Amino acid sequence: MLDKHLKVAVLIRHYNASAGGAERYCVELTKRLAKIYDVHVFTQHNSEQSENITFHRIPQWFQRPRYLNQLLFSWFTRRETINKFDIVHSHDMVTHANIYTLHVPCVKTKWSESKGVKGVLRWLNTLLSPRKIAYLWLEHSEMKPLKHRHFISVSEYLSRNILMNYPKTNKHLTIAYPGINNHLENIEFKPHALKEKLALTNDAFLFLFVGNDLIKKGLPAIIKAFEVLGNNNIHLAIVGSGKKDTVNIPASLKNNIHFLGVVKDMANLYQSVDVLIHPTLVDTYGMVVLEAMSVKLPVIVSNKNYCGFAEHLNDKQALILNNPKDAIELSEKINLVFSDASLREEIAKNGFEKTQSISWENTLEKTLLAYNIILRNKRNNHES
């Protein structure tokens, strides 16, 4: 049992549940940690409030270049936390934490995957890039497998990536999946509110796409698939901070593609659409898929080679894409889920049942096991 007086520092540049999957994970987990321990959050931007958490503002002198801000964030948080906390838990790239919850593939991946001449050229090119050197140095510093350090991955997909790049971390690695909030019974849903806002008829079929990086999350393939189908009754609502000019929207689809920006009330949004579409190219877990399924929303999603959560799904729980870059395959899946109401109902039901064993309490439990490992190693080191 962990000491109830444990003092924990949590490090993340953006403490904001709407900023992205990593930020959402951090906020949800930290709120639960704060019910048990003395939790301090060190952040540059805070959009959340909690009486149980002490917040510390880390200065941000400039936004660009980002790598310099990352280095400064690491330096400032080291200065503020060293020898002051029982556990330093980082969700960001820093040099000095005890616990690292890792959310994205390793920076080193491109170098690890480049072989022969390409590998040599990549490393030579790196010598000319202060940005690449900075990120590689930071990652190398954080990924050292020390006794007082442990890594938490959010999926098997990410764990494989970590071990490919840093095989010595294999005895220092735990998986703690993201969770969901199952408190929907007290929410007053308005299923047609979004369609009314977009001036659509109630029988219009509305897909939902969620992602800040429109390219990596697969929006170009969706647009091509919509072009292939040419169905004016099919619409797409896009949620996230991605900019419209990132992708080209053909004139024929201008009235069918709707950018909503950042949305905080995702629970109601899920109830206002017909299907979540997530042809992601890189997603270590895919929290949006889990959340959508938890409110009985049918899902189209990339396979496990692109999306970590898909590793736990079968074709009765979601429509799984063999190749998310293939607009023809995607158009076929879109048309299938659009035209077959019984299929939508079946995968929504099975997907919902899949999510009922997944919770943030499980995430907390796995995290506390990692804390125990660190504290035990510290205690053994002190006694010796």
Side-chain angles (χ1 to χ4, degrees), residues 11-147:
L11 316 181
I12 189 165
R13 283 171 301 151
H14 296 268
Y15 191 76
N16 179 357
S18 301
E23 290 80 8
R24 173 70 181 279
Y25 185 114
C26 176
V27 171
E28 293 289 350
L29 176 61
T30 303
K31 287 192 299 185
R32 287 161 175 79
L33 287 169
K35 292 179 181 179
I36 313 172
Y37 308 119
D38 179 15
V39 173
H40 296 245
V41 171
F42 293 81
T43 184
Q44 291 179 329
H45 303 280
N46 176 26
S47 301
E48 310 291 331
Q49 297 299 322
S50 174
E51 294 180 357
N52 299 331
I53 299 173
T54 303
F55 290 98
H56 304 263
R57 183 67 176 268
I58 298 298
Q60 181 177 6
W61 291 348
F62 38 75
Q63 291 187 339
R64 293 182 181 277
R66 291 180 181 176
Y67 74 89
L68 285 182
N69 180 55
Q70 191 77 57
L71 288 167
L72 285 171
F73 181 77
S74 178
W75 184 82
F76 276 121
T77 54
R78 179 183 178 85
R79 187 186 67 174
E80 295 296 322
T81 61
I82 192 166
N83 298 325
K84 298 176 183 177
F85 292 87
D86 300 294
I87 295 285
V88 177
H89 185 165
S90 182
H91 295 261
D92 230 309
M93 190 182 288
V94 297
T95 62
H96 53 279
N98 306 119
I99 298 287
Y100 289 92
T101 296
L102 304 172
H103 299 273
V104 296
C106 297
V107 173
K108 190 181 174 184
T109 301
K110 290 182 179 180
W111 286 262
S112 298
E113 293 177 343
S114 298
K115 305 297 182 183
V117 175
K118 287 186 177 179
V120 173
L121 291 176
R122 183 174 289 280
W123 281 108
L124 288 175
N125 179 261
T126 301
L127 296 176
L128 303 175
S129 172
R131 176 181 64 84
K132 293 175 182 178
I133 292 172
Y135 282 127
L136 284 170
W137 176 80
L138 271 172
E139 184 174 88
H140 177 76
S141 297
E142 77 172 3
M143 298 305 293
K144 290 178 180 178
L146 306 175
K147 282 187 177 181

Side-chain angles (χ1 to χ4, degrees), residues 315-363:
D315 56 9
K316 292 184 178 180
Q317 297 162 334
L319 292 182
I320 300 175
L321 298 164
N322 292 321
N323 181 4
K325 300 176 184 178
D326 186 346
I328 300 299
E329 182 195 1
L330 187 54
S331 68
E332 291 171 352
K333 289 287 196 298
I334 290 172
N335 192 53
L336 180 61
V337 76
F338 164 73
S339 59
D340 193 336
S342 62
L343 174 66
R344 294 197 300 272
E345 184 177 344
E346 179 186 3
I347 62 175
K349 175 179 176 293
N350 293 336
F352 171 76
E353 290 175 355
K354 175 66 179 178
T355 67
Q356 294 311 288
S357 61
I358 302 172
S359 71
W360 287 112
E361 282 62 40
N362 293 337
T363 314

Side-chain angles (χ1 to χ4, degrees), residues 262-300:
V262 176
V263 175
K264 288 192 174 182
D265 186 7
M266 290 299 294
N268 243 314
L269 183 66
Y270 291 135
Q271 296 291 327
S272 301
V273 300
D274 297 293
V275 176
L276 174 78
I277 185 167
H278 195 67
T280 180
L281 303 180
V282 181
D283 225 325
T284 52
Y285 189 78
M287 286 177 60
V288 64
V289 178
L290 171 62
E291 290 175 350
M293 291 170 62
S294 75
V295 293
K296 301 182 180 180
L297 191 64
V299 167
I300 299 174

